[in-house]
Amino acid sequence: MSTKKKVTKQPEPAPEPVAAPVEEKPASTESAEASEDPKKELTPGTIVPVRGRNVSGRNWKGPKERYGVINTTPSLKTSWDKKQAQREKMVQLRQRNAAIKEQADLARQQLAEKIKANKERRAKNEIKSAQYQVVKNTSKLRKMSRKQMQQFKKLADIAK
């Protein structure tokens, strides 16, 4: 029987924390950044931990941030000036729409009047150009059947 030795992989030693380099910045930005968050300010003695490989091996998964830090949406409330400007725009838009609608109504009325005038003119011209015969003996009308009577039109006295 041969004995095999188990070879175990020894974990790599963790890298030692390294002090972050301090960058010199103009005086105007130092006062603004120092007032924001004093915990994040780097001084020469600050130790920053170095992140190693993920245990899962999923290297695309980076460190997460809290939701409150990520969510930086602007305020949903609008200012009074913006509301007034929007109101003015709406008033102007309504006026413009009313003017357009009024023009369309006027055009529709004019078209309807034109069509009505054309119908009246055609009816008059049709009567003028019609051929007719004046019935002088009304006793003939009494002898006609009802269907024959329906074909006739009664007109006012027309002098050609």
Side-chain angles (χ1 to χ4, degrees):
M1 284 191 176
S2 67
T3 58
K4 291 185 180 178
K5 288 186 177 180
K6 286 189 174 178
V7 179
T8 58
K9 224 181 195 182
Q10 291 183 356
E12 295 178 18
E16 293 182 23
V18 181
V22 178
E23 297 178 16
E24 292 185 26
K25 296 179 183 175
S28 62
T29 58
E30 279 184 13
S31 61
E33 288 183 5
S35 63
E36 285 181 24
D37 195 4
K39 292 180 183 177
K40 291 187 178 180
E41 188 176 319
L42 297 176
T43 56
T46 309
I47 297 173
V48 179
V50 177
R51 283 187 56 87
R53 243 180 47 189
N54 285 343
V55 175
S56 64
R58 299 177 182 176
N59 55 2
W60 62 89
K61 292 200 167 201
K64 302 281 192 276
E65 288 186 359
R66 294 178 70 180
Y67 180 73
V69 176
I70 296 171
N71 190 12
T72 56
T73 57
S75 175
L76 296 175
K77 296 177 182 177
T78 56
S79 67
W80 179 252
D81 296 333
K82 287 183 181 178
K83 283 183 184 179
Q84 289 295 77
Q86 199 171 20
R87 201 169 282 142
E88 283 294 321
K89 280 184 182 179
M90 288 302 292
V91 167
Q92 290 174 357
L93 184 66
R94 284 189 193 115
Q95 288 175 350
R96 200 175 322 133
N97 284 348
I100 290 170
K101 187 177 178 183
E102 194 175 314
Q103 286 178 349
D105 288 344
L106 185 65
R108 204 176 298 119
Q109 285 177 353
Q110 287 176 349
L111 185 65
E113 288 174 8
K114 188 176 177 182
I115 289 171
K116 187 178 179 183
N118 281 347
K119 281 184 180 178
E120 289 175 2
R121 184 177 47 82
R122 283 185 179 154
K124 284 181 184 178
N125 287 343
E126 190 177 328
I127 291 171
K128 283 182 186 176
S129 65
Q131 293 179 353
Y132 59 91
Q133 181 179 0
V134 179
V135 178
K136 293 184 179 173
N137 190 357
T138 54
S139 62
K140 288 182 182 176
L141 292 175
R142 289 186 209 126
K143 293 177 186 175
M144 287 184 190
S145 69
R146 213 162 145 214
K147 284 188 178 180
Q148 286 176 325
M149 290 290 286
Q150 285 177 353
Q151 291 177 352
F152 297 139
K153 277 188 181 177
K154 199 172 191 181
L155 298 175
D157 292 333
I158 298 173
K160 271 196 174 179

